[in-house]
Amino acid sequence: MVDAAPLLSIRNLDVRFKLRTGVAAALSSGPKVLKAVDDVSFDVRKGEVLGLVGESGSGKTTIGKALLRLYEPHAGTILVNGVDITHMGAGRLKPYRRNLQMVFQDPLSSLNPRHTVRTALATPLLLHRICANDEVDARIDEALSKAGLPTSFKDRYPHEMSGGQLQRVAIARALTMSPGLVVADEPVSKLDVSVRAQILNLLKDLQQKFGISIIFITHDLRVARYLCHRVAVMYFGKMVEIGPTEELFASPKHPYTRALLGTLDESAESLDGGAQIAGEAFNPTTDSVGCRYLSRCPKKVARCATAHPEFEDVAANHSVACYEWRGG
Amino acid sequence: MSAVTLTVRGLDAGFTMGGSTVLVVRDVNFDVRKGEMLGIIGESGSGKTVTGMSLLRLLPDNGVTNAAEIDFLGVDLRGLSDEAFRELRGRRLAMVFQDPVGAFNPAKKIEWHIRGVFDRSASKSPAHAERARNWRPAAIQLLKDVGIPQGDNVLRQFPHQLSGGMLQRTLIALVLAFEPELIVADEPTTNLDNIVERQILRLFRDLQRRLNCAFIFITHDMSIAHMLCDRIAVMYAGRIVESGPTKDVFANPKHPYTQGLLASALALEGKTDRLKEIPGELPSPSNLPPGCLFEPRCTFAKPVCRTKPPGMTALEGGRGVRCVLYGDG
Ligand SMILES: Nc1ncnc2c1ncn2[C@@H]1O[C@H](COP(=O)(O)OP(=O)(O)O)[C@@H](O)[C@H]1O
Ligand SMILES: Nc1ncnc2c1ncn2[C@@H]1O[C@H](COP(=O)(O)OP(=O)(O)O)[C@@H](O)[C@H]1O
Ligand code: SF4
Ligand SMILES: [Mg+2]
Ligand SMILES: [Mg+2]
């Protein structure tokens, strides 16, 4: 069973980007910073897969990168096994960096085209002094096998491999560090459908065999359902709902979660349902008060325009940020 | 059955690089009828875009196209001069791409684009001429038809001021005004979020019903093809491996590749503990297997599959499959 103390705790995370200067910035009267992640809190327990879903630009990648300390948060705390790493210096951070690994959507961009697989996997092993020099090769072989690749792949260059093989290499590289938590950022969205199943099954197996925690980032609800114990839904920098996967699918509370789940019905008739005219999405550079979902929401009431709603508990482990979640 | 708008037979297409030509589309055959939506589906790199581009003569300079027949409403498209083809593309054929931005002139407002289409079609009928003269109310109505109520505002905006979804709606309005007889749409909703995507898909379907035109919808997404298309053609490594009415192909896929693809795609729809995998990956166009293109990944392969590329076998109900398990191969 899962441990009581969470492996990772994120509290009130706030990550901002300066908006580009130039015409667009000069024309807009709105704020000059973008809140890519706005007051987000959640835990990941040991051995748990948490899904982060939401459309592109909702802040999923930024959360992942911030918790690996690749972005400096504007506010909030990041606790790993109870230790605050939010502002930890590089030296002390090293073991935590090792414990937190990331697998990206596009494995090519995270591999040096001039390095063989051996070099790509050996470098972090040597850097973190994970093992003696003469054990490096054995360690790489082990990681490649776990990722479902023949050990002969050590001598390949990135351009000699297919998309699925590259993603396996990226997974193997994360595994060499024996991480406690892997942030997998849309690891299958660039892969073909026929290869996607292979990688999803691999992640599921690894997670179950080694008890690794995973933050699985995806815009595809179906993929999240397959892999995740809990799912958190993001909308324009805000987390709007979080809950156990099956409960969230069976009884979603937030209007946005409901709309997203509504897109899973694939019958031809399903195209006829729903509103024909969509409200424009939240504009993060001009809209600042009220619920982020206000402009698109079919259930909005006067209060929704006053402030973004706080999280409320719906059931054990299930919370939602919506004033109107009780109404049907 | 309605009349055939486009007939394609024996289409090969590819690219010349460093003196040699690599074909990435081979022996593609299909018909699209008036009022029909044909889905061309397949994974990335299977040749869907190159098929569409070669038909509309939009391949880059090193592109190569060869066909036994490309007939568009009685016109042999192969024989047209580039100038005559451009003329046709501007009047009777439309292509919609993934990124709508490229279809707009960034320096011109939306009203300029709509008026352009009105002006070009003014000679079609007195009503069209009137529309070009008294353009503003017609343009506002047109935008309303594609779910943009505040058309007056949008007309005064530049393309970059609109969101991706709004721009794709506006482009659909232009196509609607332009009334082509054939539309080729290449993954036109891939950049949109699921909710907006739904709405745009619905607009495409309404567009096709209103114009009663022939429509080729290219997508890698099985669920979109399922919702939208009357018939589908499944491409694998540059060849059509299966085709038929969408309902029938989804209910009872014949080709082992289609079976695997649908199994992986549909398994995710419900709750499942284990996804069915297709082993291996797509072959590269410069290094294709000598026999059936799917043979290295196929669990039903026979010895002959390794040596002889199967032909297309016609099945009942307007279906076809390129696999030796059916008929004489
Ligand atoms: N390095 C950056 N500089 C400026 N803006 C950024 C940067 N990274 C992300 N953003 C912006 O932050 C928002 C959230 O982005 P992201 O986290 O990548 O979303 P997602 O992963 O959900 O698609 C987007 O509006 C994006 O444009
Ligand atoms: N301009 C080009 N030059 C060379 N090869 C190309 C070019 N465009 C596409 N290809 C190749 O043609 C094949 C089919 O590509 P494409 O039609 O774009 O596939 P799809 O649209 O099904 O994803 C791929 O192998 C691709 O790499
Ligand atoms: S708070 Fe209001 S606007 Fe926001 S999702 Fe709930 S009902 Fe809709
Ligand atoms: Mg992202
Ligand atoms: Mg394409």
Side-chain angles (χ1 to χ4, degrees), chain B residues 55-57 77 80-89:
Chain B
L55 291 174
L56 278 95
R57 273 202 211 175
L77 292 188
L80 287 189
S81 69
D82 282 348
E83 200 192 338
F85 200 96
R86 260 198 307 277
E87 172 78 10
L88 192 76
R89 219 167 42 214

Side-chain angles (χ1 to χ4, degrees), chain A residues 55 162 164 192-194 196 198 201 204-205 226 246 263 265-266 270-273 276 278 280, chain B residues 43-44 163 166 193 196 198-199 202 205 223 227 268-269 271 273-275 277-278 280-282 297:
Chain A
E55 61 201 49
S162 66
D192 289 319
V193 187
S194 66
R196 188 177 66 179
Q198 299 172 13
N201 284 342
K204 194 166 199 167
D205 290 345
Y226 178 62
E246 281 316 301
T263 63
D265 177 3
E266 287 170 2
S270 70
L271 270 186
D272 292 318
Q276 168 68 13
E280 276 294 272
Chain B
E43 301 182 84
S44 71
S163 67
M166 283 286 258
D193 70 71
V196 175
R198 271 296 164 116
Q199 294 163 342
R202 173 134 135 235
R205 199 196 49 188
S223 53
M227 287 187 287
L268 280 174
E269 271 176 25
K271 174 96 189 116
D273 284 334
R274 191 83 192 160
L275 291 177
E277 299 178 14
I278 303 179
E281 304 200 19
L282 282 167
R297 307 174 73 183

Side-chain angles (χ1 to χ4, degrees), chain A residues 113-163:
Chain A
R114 288 190 306 269
H115 288 171
T116 59
V117 169
R118 178 190 274 111
T119 310
L121 270 61
T123 308
L125 281 174
L126 296 171
L127 194 74
H128 285 279
R129 299 206 184 85
I130 306 275
C131 56
N133 286 7
D134 58 357
E135 288 166 19
V136 165
D137 259 17
R139 187 104 183 182
I140 292 174
D141 286 353
E142 187 193 332
L144 288 174
S145 311
K146 281 182 188 168
L149 288 173
T151 53
S152 61
F153 268 62
K154 271 190 302 214
D155 298 316
R156 296 226 181 166
Y157 288 92
H159 71 267
E160 297 172 320
M161 291 178 285
S162 66

Side-chain angles (χ1 to χ4, degrees), chain B residues 96-205:
Chain B
V96 180
F97 296 100
Q98 185 171 329
D99 184 3
V101 173
F104 290 85
N105 180 337
K108 301 289 188 185
K109 293 181 180 171
I110 299 303
E111 61 177 42
W112 179 86
H113 294 89
I114 295 185
R115 289 186 71 180
V117 176
F118 284 0
D119 289 345
R120 261 177 281 140
S121 54
S123 58
K124 275 188 184 171
S125 76
H128 284 87
E130 171 57 22
R131 180 175 81 167
R133 252 193 319 277
N134 191 12
W135 63 273
R136 188 177 291 275
I140 291 172
Q141 182 57 46
L142 189 63
L143 290 170
K144 204 180 246 163
D145 288 346
V146 297
I148 302 177
Q150 62 288 48
D152 222 0
N153 264 328
V154 168
L155 285 176
R156 283 195 300 271
Q157 302 209 281
F158 289 97
H160 74 265
Q161 292 174 299
L162 301 179
S163 67
M166 283 286 258
L167 209 55
Q168 198 62 284
R169 278 176 200 271
T170 307
L171 181 57
I172 293 172
L174 289 176
V175 175
L176 190 62
F178 163 68
E179 298 169 332
E181 284 145 296
L182 173 69
I183 302 175
V184 180
D186 188 0
E187 314 242 14
T189 60
T190 302
N191 281 340
L192 304 172
D193 70 71
N194 301 27
I195 294 173
V196 175
E197 172 172 67
R198 271 296 164 116
Q199 294 163 342
I200 301 291
L201 289 175
R202 173 134 135 235
L203 282 177
F204 273 112
R205 199 196 49 188

